[in-house]
Amino acid sequence: MNPLALYIHWPFCRSKCPYCDFNSHVRERIDEARWRRALLAELSHYAQETAEREIASIFFGGGTPSLMAPETVAAILEQVSALWRVAPDVEVTLEANPNSVEAGRFRALRAAGVNRLSLGVQALDERALQFLGRAHGVSEAVAAIELARQTFARFSFDLIYGRPGQSVAAWERELARAIELAGEHLSVYQLTIEPGTAFATAHARRDFAMPDEETEAALYEATAALLGAAGLPAYEISNHARRGAECRHNLAYWRYQDYVGVGPGAHGRLSIDGAKIATRQRRAPEIWLAAVEAAGHGTEERVTLDADARRDELLMMGLRLAEGIPRRRFQRELGRDVETLLDPNRLARLMEAGFLNLDAERLAATSAGRQRLNAVLAALLG
Ligand code: SF4
């Protein structure tokens, strides 16, 4: 039996960041005991069909899961151990913000069973932090990184680049500081303007201008060069790590392995009797909560993916990774060779242009291909 990854969504934040299109909400108060009961109930629901599997990774995402009481995290992890076999080296990641209130909980979160922390630092520049609407300053971020290093076996932090007015030289200085502070993993995302966010409105009003394409490309290349030289090469479009320090949970998504998703808006993928089932929980927090209290789960959608959808997802996920997609994965998922699944002319054009490689072992996107993966996928799949 293949191992299983488990995602738990905590949908609440102290404030809404202007760039954020995640399923995150601000509430004056929540009844945490009620939320805890609902998450435990939904875990039991999914364990009914997956209890024979072993849990290899658990990821608390959000929202801001570091706002959960450590007792809630402990209760969830106890429930997971009661429902499934858990791998002895299970990776348990929790996303946290660097402000001091949340940092004050790090030790209690470790005692609850968290062994990897992912910190939403986003910038090491005061003005950029203000622009991004973050509630912390640079010194708080640095202190939280230090505390994470002392407290957890593994930690990572996130940065956002491609900000308005950011020069390559300024980004290189900021990234050099980040490398000094980093452990074995760093996530570096390019700022994008997502529809429906406060930034989308401000950008449409011309409150700020995004960097042009040339600057975006130069920033991407500077990131790859600096982090590669520091021993943190990109193993995925936005994720960098020393060999062996990759986030195992996220690798499960990109390698198209199975995962259970619980909590509002969480997605899951389950292989059952040769079929691939896609699950999605109700997105609005209170509606999800009411559904779980009424029926034991908040599943809104459960569909069996057809062969085309499985191929597309396999490519969309796997081509994000520097390692690409081994040929045997196409066989395992679809029972066919990669050549028979793709249009040979489209594939040849993308290989000639230097965006894809296909050899005896695997199909992979080059660094240039990963930089513009959406366009590559559109050209590959039509
Ligand atoms: S803290 Fe994270 S999840 Fe919450 S609003 Fe900000 S970016 Fe979104």
Side-chain angles (χ1 to χ4, degrees), residues 203-214:
H203 188 246
R205 242 185 355 232
R206 298 182 194 276
D207 288 359
F208 61 85
M210 291 294 285
D212 58 28
E213 229 176 89
E214 209 174 303

Side-chain angles (χ1 to χ4, degrees), residues 210-288:
M210 291 294 285
D212 58 28
E213 229 176 89
E214 209 174 303
T215 310
E216 295 269 18
L219 288 166
Y220 178 88
E221 278 149 25
T223 305
L226 231 66
L227 290 175
L232 295 166
Y235 67 97
E236 190 266 348
I237 296 173
S238 308
N239 284 279
H240 298 252
R242 290 196 200 290
R243 228 181 143 75
E246 299 87 355
C247 173
R248 284 179 234 152
H249 185 84
N250 287 339
L251 276 180
Y253 297 152
W254 296 320
R255 289 177 174 162
Y256 208 36
Q257 293 164 351
D258 281 6
Y259 54 97
V260 163
V262 303
H267 290 251
R269 290 290 180 278
L270 294 173
S271 304
I272 296 176
D273 297 332
K276 193 90 162 187
I277 314 286
T279 63
R280 184 171 53 78
Q281 307 313 108
R282 289 184 183 280
R283 191 173 159 88
E286 288 74 18
I287 291 175
W288 173 88

Side-chain angles (χ1 to χ4, degrees), residues 7-12 21-25 27 30 34-40 42-43 46 59-65 68 76 260-268 279-292 297-301:
Y7 175 80
I8 297 139
H9 191 80
W10 186 256
F12 303 116
D21 73 338
F22 297 153
N23 189 23
S24 61
H25 307 265
R27 298 284 184 270
I30 60 152
R34 215 175 139 197
W35 274 86
R36 178 160 58 218
R37 282 194 298 276
L39 287 167
L40 298 181
E42 199 164 63
L43 285 168
Y46 274 112
F59 195 104
F60 291 89
T64 307
M68 289 165 120
I76 289 170
V260 163
V262 303
H267 290 251
T279 63
R280 184 171 53 78
Q281 307 313 108
R282 289 184 183 280
R283 191 173 159 88
E286 288 74 18
I287 291 175
W288 173 88
L289 185 63
V292 176
H297 66 90
T299 309
E300 182 163 32
E301 197 175 272

Side-chain angles (χ1 to χ4, degrees), residues 162-177:
R163 307 180 307 241
Q166 190 177 33
S167 70
V168 174
W171 172 233
E172 283 175 340
R173 283 195 297 277
E174 194 175 338
L175 199 50
R177 176 98 198 274

Side-chain angles (χ1 to χ4, degrees), residues 12-13 15-17 19-22 24 62-64 97 122 134:
F12 303 116
C13 291
S15 56
K16 183 82 182 174
C17 303
Y19 56 89
C20 176
D21 73 338
F22 297 153
S24 61
T64 307
N97 277 328
Q122 316 309 5
R134 303 295 294 179

